């Protein structure tokens, strides 16, 4: 079908100029989303649904080409403006099953994103057992030549200690041409990524992208802590994208929809940019993430956080150990001090399988934990505590006093994982227990920061009565988000950190409520740079907490290396600062001073990667923030086991980075940190190239590039273009 012929009989329902997308309805009532003048057959029905008894038209692993989706016909639509958002609702119905869909498309004027959710209502006389529902579908994606050969696919693998590892491959390496004309059918497979169990990002980030050689990008995100899946494949010579929450095949999710009942899908968002590739798309996604999250003063203040855990007390805090750290952290410039895991442990058998009551351990705090909390406040810091609210240890008295229905169960049996049971926050007893705990810690003890951890993967979920395990997990996580929001309603200045064994629950269902995201539990400072550099793909920079754990046995380069990596995000300071020499502590203090100078620029800046998203073993890594007044850039050079050849190998001492957004601008690059660095930078304005020199391996620098006077710093070398 030609482009012109493909537009016959089609009416436009919705369009968005910045996205270059519109929704149209054809003469048969089918509604599809895509770019202008695309072949109708290459597009995908606006909603795709599988239900028991209503499967696919072409059997396979794809979640498109469903019988319900193909039968859905247009009813009506409307658009409203609310709080700066444009909300268009398109209503569809399936005359066979009686299933009706309300698809809400959310945008903002001038923004290049589209957020979608779907509400399904059973208007029929019989129950429907849902097995999958898309939140957003898009078809007709091609490269600038109108084919697929120029498209590149991007996705991120995730694991404990190895978060945000981005991969790229030609789409044709993953979705091979099958000579459709010879068979009369599309393939049965696709490229897909999905979550597994309670760790939403335990395997992959719920983010992916397609780009072409001209710099166009299609970037997507699914906002779910309870199961998600995205897929992309070929349809009629073009690529399609389908974004889903949990489904039966991957998450044991089935939802029984009785007549008159409704189900709401998880949100999904698509960013489309015409130039600039992934950097431009992630810039738009960063703006979107800022727009949809709950407002909180922490997003603007960005206090420096000291946490006693990483490479320091490691879950063994006592008054004796903490008081010197509190004084040293205050001297270094920290503004929040978090007592991490172990503060409740008074059991010779260990705390892991006994947690749940969250009472301070007398053995650890002979004078009471208030002695430590008061010391924190006396040194000008906000006290914080670690909490793992969703679990109860098998040896905890609460495992027997809370009702059985307050816990995750499958097959009528309580679920146990790694010595813990899992609370179901839909149950009033579970929620009341946690409300009492937090109101005591915050209201009575004066704690202003809670690190909410999540260290077990509970599996597919919980079966509450006849519900499926996946439906139970989704129900719990929605109740969990509601619980966190209610905490902030009662305690509006409370700061919540979202942690899941580091970054294993790093999704924007969580981060639309929580203020800060732990990015990793990685303890090797030479392994952290690729995580720190790519963290802004998973969270806004001001929400991405990066560990900086200098130690007394570190050389100056090592202290500076671990500190530098945190300065364009949220500083999570740790380490035995109390044992450092005056010179070592000053190296820490100077990093914190630099951070406090530049942090007003972070909440409005967009991330970029001038040599591409980092590889796990890359010797050179670079990550920047592009603000209104300045561009900041962190550059790492690694050698040996962490990146590049061994120390006696041939790692280059300098690297040239392309900064097209600054081409033609006459500026002075300045090394902000470390002040005593041998690193330097030369700027070629005509070429838009920055050449960074780091003479020694395993070193890093933070640079500022600005036409105005630098924020801080001392050293620069410039070559005018």
């Amino acid at each position: 079908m030609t482009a012109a012929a493909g537009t016959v009989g089609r009416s436009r329902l919705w369009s968005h100029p910045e996205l270059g997308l519109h929704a149209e309805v054809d003469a048969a009532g089918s509604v599809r989303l895509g770019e202008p003048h695309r072949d109708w057959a290459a597009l995908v029905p606006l909603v795709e649904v599988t239900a028991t008894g209503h499967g696919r038209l072409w059997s396979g692993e794809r979640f498109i080409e469903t019988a319900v989706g193909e039968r859905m016909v247009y009813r009506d639509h409307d658009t409203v403006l609310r709080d700066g958002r444009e909300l268009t609702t398109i209503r569809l119905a399936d005359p066979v099953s009686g299933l009706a869909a309300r698809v809400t498309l959310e945008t903002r004027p001038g923004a290049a994103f589209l957020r979608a959710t779907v509400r399904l209502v059973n208007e029929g006389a019989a129950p429907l057992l849902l097995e999958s529902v898309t939140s957003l579908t898009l078809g007709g994606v091609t490269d600038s030549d109108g084919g697929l050969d120029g498209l590149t696919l991007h996705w991120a693998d995730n694991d404990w200690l190895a978060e945000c590892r981005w991969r790229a491959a030609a789409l044709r390496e993953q979705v091979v041409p099958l000579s459709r004309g010879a068979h009369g059918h599309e393939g049965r497979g696709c490229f897909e990524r999905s979550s597994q169990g309670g760790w939403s990002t335990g395997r992959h980030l719920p983010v992916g992208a397609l780009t072409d050689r001209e710099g166009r990008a299609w970037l997507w995100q699914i906002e779910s802590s309870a199961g998600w899946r995205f897929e992309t494949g070929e349809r009629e010579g073009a690529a399609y994208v389908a974004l889903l929450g949990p489904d039966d095949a991957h998450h044991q999710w089935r939802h029984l929809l009785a007549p008159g009942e409704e189900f709401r899908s998880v949100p999904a968002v698509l960013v489309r940019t015409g130039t600039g590739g992934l950097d431009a798309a992630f810039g738009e996604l960063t703006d979107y993430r800022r727009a949809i999250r709950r407002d909180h003063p922490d997003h603007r203040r960005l206090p420096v956080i000291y946490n006693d855990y990483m490479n320091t007390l490691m879950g063994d805090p006592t008054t004796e150990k903490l008081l010197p750290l509190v004084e040293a952290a205050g001297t270094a410039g920290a503004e929040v001090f978090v007592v991490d895991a172990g503060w409740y442990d008074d059991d010779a058998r260990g705390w892991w399988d006994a947690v749940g009551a969250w009472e301070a351990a007398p053995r650890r705090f002979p004078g009471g934990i208030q002695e430590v909390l008061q010391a924190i406040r006396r040194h000008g810091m906000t006290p914080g505590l670690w909490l793992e609210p969703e679990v109860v240890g098998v040896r905890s008295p609460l495992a027997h006093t809370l009702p059985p229905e307050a816990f995750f169960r499958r097959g009528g049996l309580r679920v146990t994982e790694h010595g813990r049971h899992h609370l179901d926050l839909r149950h009033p007893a579970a929620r009341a227990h946690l409300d009492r705990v937090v109101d005591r810690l915050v209201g009575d003890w004066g704690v202003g920061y809670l690190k909410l951890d999540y260290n077990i993967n509970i599996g597919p979920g919980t079966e509450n009565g006849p519900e499926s395990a996946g439906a139970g997990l989704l129900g719990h996580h929605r109740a969990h988000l509601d619980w966190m929001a209610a905490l902030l309603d009662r305690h509006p200045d409370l700061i919540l950190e979202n942690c899941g064994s580091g970054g294993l629950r790093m999704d924007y269902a969580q981060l639309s409520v929580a203020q800060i995201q732990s990015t990793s539990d990685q303890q090797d400072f030479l392994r952290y740079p690729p995580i720190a550099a790519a963290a802004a793909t998973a969270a806004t920079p001001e929400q991405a907490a990066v560990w900086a754990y200098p130690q007394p046995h570190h050389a100056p380069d090592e202290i500076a290396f671990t500190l530098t990596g945190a300065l364009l995000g949220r500083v999570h300071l740790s380490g035995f600062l109390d044992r450092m020499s005056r010179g070592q502590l000053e190296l820490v203090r100077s990093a914190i001073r630099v951070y406090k100078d530049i942090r007003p620029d972070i909440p409005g800046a967009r991330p970029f990667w001038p040599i591409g998203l980092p590889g796990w073993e890359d010797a050179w890594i670079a990550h920047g923030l592009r603000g209104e007044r300045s561009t900041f850039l962190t550059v790492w050079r690694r050698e040996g086991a962490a990146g590049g050849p061994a120390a006696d190998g041939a790692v280059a001492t300098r690297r040239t980075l392309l900064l097209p957004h600054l081409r033609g601008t006459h500026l002075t690059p300045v090394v902000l940190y470390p002040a005593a660095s041998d690193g330097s930078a030369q700027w070629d304005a005509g070429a838009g190239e920055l050449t960074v020199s780091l003479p020694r391996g395993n070193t890093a620098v933070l640079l500022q590039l600005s036409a105005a006077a630098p924020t801080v710093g001392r050293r620069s070398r410039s070559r005018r273009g």
Side-chain angles (χ1 to χ4, degrees), residues 456-510:
I456 61 171
N457 189 338
I458 200 59
T462 181
E463 298 165 347
N464 183 14
E467 75 178 353
S468 68
L473 186 63
L474 180 59
H476 160 75
H477 276 303
R478 285 176 165 168
H480 178 228
L481 296 175
D482 181 72
W483 173 73
M484 288 199 300
L487 293 186
L488 294 171
D489 289 340
R490 297 199 305 276
H491 308 289
D493 291 327
L494 176 65
I495 301 171
L496 298 180
E497 176 189 340
N498 181 49
C499 181
S501 278
L504 301 188
R505 197 162 71 175
M506 190 158 42
D507 61 73
Y508 261 84
Q510 296 289 120

Side-chain angles (χ1 to χ4, degrees), residues 32 75 89 106 174 202 237 265 315 320 413 436 464 470 479 530 535 661 699 712:
R32 304 186 181 191
R75 277 183 171 174
T89 299
E106 176 185 340
Q174 305 293 326
S265 75
E320 182 181 10
L413 302 175
R436 287 192 296 270
N464 183 14
H661 72 282
T699 56
V712 291

Side-chain angles (χ1 to χ4, degrees), residues 1 100 130 149 237 265 275 278 284 304 310 337 365 406 415 518 540 562 581 592 610 649 662 686 695:
M1 183 183 295
L130 304 176
D149 292 345
S265 75
T275 59
L278 275 184
E284 291 286 344
V304 174
M310 191 59 68
F337 189 103
F365 308 102
V415 179
S518 173
T540 64
T562 185
S581 69
I592 302 306
L662 293 175

Side-chain angles (χ1 to χ4, degrees), residues 4 304 385 388 499 576 623:
V304 174
L385 288 176
E388 195 168 358
C499 181
F576 289 104
H623 163 236

Side-chain angles (χ1 to χ4, degrees), residues 67 146 158 210 231 332 340 364 370 401 456 461 470 485 493 520 559 579 622 637 684 692:
N158 219 56
L210 290 168
E231 67 177 63
D340 206 281
R364 294 182 175 276
Q370 285 292 350
T401 57
I456 61 171
D493 291 327
S520 188
I559 293 175
R579 304 177 188 175
R637 177 190 163 193
D684 186 329
V692 178

